[in-house]
């Protein structure tokens, strides 16, 4: 435990985590099950293209999400691109800027303009009250995000989409195993897209899936995912290669079996952090609604102006200690290229996104993080903020580009 400023690594003390504690360490399932399935895959010599493990993964995911169709993809970004095509999205699509850049890129990559909407300061999700002013004759849909796995305002979004004849798709990358009003995320809007990237609750090394109850849409997704091929030597339309391979499905299936354990560990860490960080001036802890199923995959702090340190000062200090906290999602997509150059005006119009993006700190959790580590990280945060003004004076201002300099 650090007691004096000199104990802090940023001022020459030893790092609390010399081996580094990272956000996003993968959750790994049972290795023997994984290897047995991989052996079986090799025996079969069937490695991709609708193999038996992909089909099993799709079936289990569809059942868990309570939907008729699950179409596994190579990753969520390609899933978003394919669902955008299959839904006929074109022109402009309304999307929050407070999200991972993939949400916006999936549209722009297909020459669909992402029209950035501001967020709700309390939920970090798209603000439905600001959507209708952004609708133009070119608008074809809304792509909302369940940020941190906390459901987007589903009722309001559904009503707006209906009223204006828009498609509604959810980027549900964060929301595997979460519910809204007791119903699993996955069954809302026209379709939802999950990510199974290594850093996600459920990982398939890389992977994603589009889930939907719409039979025609599912058929379109399956076709587009496989070059539009409709049979031996027959191509029915335009498509791309969005297929998940068998090794990914095997990892996904194995992690699916461990999912409840992963969530229990995340939940334990969430509560341990909440207890250890309670009552620090200027710090707000991002809470989950425990009347719902939550996956607790993101531990998010928000630092306000009276925290004593700026967000970037705190993250730099943590990085020096070996705690590689992250600033998801800073800056908002509207301030990243190409959007900053394409539509410089939007930067002025997203004050809440800018505010939240300037405050957030994501701390490490997951199965690689035990309670002792949580205690230590929370102790560092508490010490740093208790000593905020003294540290800030000694550290001086920290520019965004300096925060991760120590990592090389
Ligand atoms: N929509 C949303 C809302 C998303 O959050 C994401 C992905 C997507 C769409 C797109 O989904 P995919 O197409 O990827 O399926 C990471 C992930 O790469 C990205 O998938 C994820 N969001 C995002 C939130 O985080 P970076 O740029 O932060 O990655 P990187 O390399 O810095 O790694 C993150 C942390 O995880 C580091 O602390 C290192 C650690 N890590 C990473 C990997 C890959 C490991 O410990 N082991 C690993 O194998 O984007």
């Amino acid at each position: 435990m650090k007691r004096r400023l000199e104990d802090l690594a940023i001022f020459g003390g030893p790092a609390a985590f010399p081996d580094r504690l990272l956000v996003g360490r993968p959750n790994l399932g049972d290795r023997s099950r994984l290897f047995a399935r991989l052996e079986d895959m090799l025996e079969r010599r069937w490695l991709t293209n609708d193999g038996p493990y992909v089909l099993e993964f799709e079936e289990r995911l569809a059942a868990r999400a309570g939907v008729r169709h699950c179409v596994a993809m190579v990753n969520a970004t390609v899933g978003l691109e394919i669902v955008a095509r299959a839904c006929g999205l074109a022109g402009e699509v309304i999307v929050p800027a407070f999200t991972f850049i993939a949400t916006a890129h999936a549209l722009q990559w297909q020459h669909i303009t992402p029209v950035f909407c501001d967020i709700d300061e309390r939920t970090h999700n798209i603000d439905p009250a600001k959507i209708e002013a952004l609708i133009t004759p070119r608008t074809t849909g809304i792509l909302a995000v369940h940020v941190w796995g906390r459901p987007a305002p589903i009722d309001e979004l559904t009503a707006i989409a209906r009223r204006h004849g828009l498609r509604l798709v959810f980027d549900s990358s964060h929301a595997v195993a979460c519910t809204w009003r007791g119903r699993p995320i996955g069954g809302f809007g026209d379709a939802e897209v999950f990510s199974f990237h290594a850093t996600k609750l459920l990982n398939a090394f890389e992977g994603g899936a589009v889930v939907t109850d719409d039979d025609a849409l599912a058929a379109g997704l399956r076709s587009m995912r496989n070059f539009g091929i409709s049979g031996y030597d027959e191509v029915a339309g335009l498509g791309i290669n969005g297929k998940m391979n068998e090794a990914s499905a095997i990892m996904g299936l194995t992690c699916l079996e461990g999912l409840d354990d992963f969530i229990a560990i995340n939940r334990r860490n969430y509560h341990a952090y909440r207890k250890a960080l309670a009552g620090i001036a200027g710090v707000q802890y991002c809470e989950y609604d425990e009347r719902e199923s939550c996956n607790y995959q993101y531990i998010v702090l928000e630092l306000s102006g009276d925290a004593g340190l700026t967000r970037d000062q705190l993250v730099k200090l943590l990085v020096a200690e070996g705690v590689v906290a992250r600033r998801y999602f800073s800056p908002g997509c509207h301030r990243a290229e190409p959007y900053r150059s394409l539509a410089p005006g939007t930067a002025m119009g997203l004050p809440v996104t800018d505010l939240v993006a300037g405050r957030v700190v994501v701390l490490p959790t997951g199965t690689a993080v035990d309670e002792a580590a949580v205690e230590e990280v929370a102790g560092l945060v508490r010490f740093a903020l208790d000593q905020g003004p003294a540290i800030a004076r000694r550290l001086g201002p920290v520019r965004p580009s300096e925060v991760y300099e120590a990592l090389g």
Side-chain angles (χ1 to χ4, degrees), residues 78-92:
V78 170
L80 286 166
E81 287 175 20
I82 292 179
V83 81
R85 288 233 178 206
C87 280
L89 296 183
E92 295 174 359

Side-chain angles (χ1 to χ4, degrees), residues 13-358:
F17 294 91
D19 294 333
R20 285 189 189 158
L21 191 67
L22 305 178
V23 169
R25 297 298 275 164
N27 295 321
L28 308 171
D30 182 325
R31 284 176 200 218
S32 56
R33 301 272 296 154
L34 176 74
F35 291 137
R37 284 175 165 137
L38 287 170
E39 280 289 351
D40 179 58
M41 174 193 80
L42 296 175
E43 282 300 313
R44 290 174 198 244
R45 288 179 189 264
W46 196 272
L47 306 185
T48 185
N49 290 19
D50 281 335
Y53 285 111
V54 166
L55 296 179
E56 187 183 343
F57 189 44
E58 289 182 336
E59 260 172 43
R60 291 217 204 164
L61 286 168
R64 207 169 162 129
V67 290
R68 280 213 295 283
H69 305 282
C70 171
V71 185
M73 298 281 178
V74 63
N75 56 51
T77 308
V78 170
L80 286 166
E81 287 175 20
I82 292 179
V83 81
R85 288 233 178 206
C87 280
L89 296 183
E92 295 174 359
V93 168
I94 296 169
V95 66
F98 188 71
T99 179
F100 190 59
I101 199 70
T103 319
H105 278 0
L107 298 170
Q108 185 70 40
W109 194 254
Q110 304 185 74
H111 307 287
I112 300 167
T113 303
V115 174
F116 294 114
C117 183
D118 215 350
I119 55 166
D120 179 326
E121 187 177 345
R122 200 175 41 84
T123 65
H124 298 181
N125 277 316
I126 194 165
D127 184 347
K130 298 198 177 133
I131 292 180
E132 282 180 300
L134 300 173
I135 296 175
T136 73
R138 299 191 69 226
T139 310
T140 55
I142 301 169
L143 173 53
V145 183
H146 304 299
V147 175
W148 318 133
R150 302 194 301 184
I154 292 173
D155 264 347
E156 293 89 333
L157 292 170
T158 307
I160 295 169
R162 282 219 182 102
R163 215 162 33 240
H164 295 272
L166 302 176
R167 291 291 214 165
L168 176 59
V169 174
F170 290 97
D171 177 342
S172 311
S173 292
H174 296 184
V176 168
C178 297
T179 61
W180 180 72
R181 295 190 186 153
R183 278 178 61 197
I185 293 295
F188 301 104
D190 291 293
E192 302 206 42
V193 182
F194 291 124
S195 170
F196 309 123
H197 182 263
T199 56
K200 295 291 186 266
L201 173 78
L202 168 62
N203 94 80
F205 303 126
E206 290 263 10
V210 183
V211 288
T212 181
D213 275 322
D214 182 329
D215 299 344
L217 182 59
L221 292 165
R222 286 193 183 283
S223 168
M224 286 183 184
R225 177 186 69 170
N226 188 30
F227 314 103
I229 290 173
S230 53
Y232 282 100
D233 307 326
E234 277 178 30
V235 178
L238 184 62
I240 194 170
N241 185 354
K243 290 171 275 124
M244 176 179 275
N245 67 67
E246 286 287 272
S248 282
I250 285 172
M251 184 63 171
L253 275 169
T254 309
C255 286
L256 205 49
E257 289 164 357
L259 204 64
D260 293 338
D261 294 336
F262 303 162
I263 294 171
I265 290 169
N266 276 355
R267 184 168 185 277
R268 178 203 69 195
N269 288 349
Y270 165 76
H271 284 288
Y273 270 120
R274 189 165 73 164
K275 192 164 161 229
L277 293 168
I280 305 178
V283 173
Q284 202 165 316
Y285 192 62
C286 211
E287 308 241 342
Y288 293 101
D289 178 356
E290 299 202 65
R291 293 167 302 180
E292 301 286 352
S293 298
C294 312
N295 65 28
Y296 308 93
Q297 178 69 1
Y298 293 92
I299 300 291
V300 185
L301 298 186
E302 276 182 77
L303 258 58
S304 67
D306 36 334
L309 288 180
T310 66
R311 187 272 311 274
D312 287 349
Q313 285 171 322
L314 177 66
V315 177
K316 187 176 163 89
L317 179 150
L318 290 173
V319 168
E321 298 291 349
V323 180
V324 187
R326 298 299 296 258
R327 299 177 293 183
Y328 296 133
F329 297 99
S330 178
C333 296
H334 61 305
R335 293 194 180 277
E337 293 297 354
Y339 312 106
R340 187 171 52 184
S341 303
L342 285 173
T346 54
M348 306 302 291
L350 301 175
V352 185
T353 302
D354 288 337
L355 185 77
V356 173

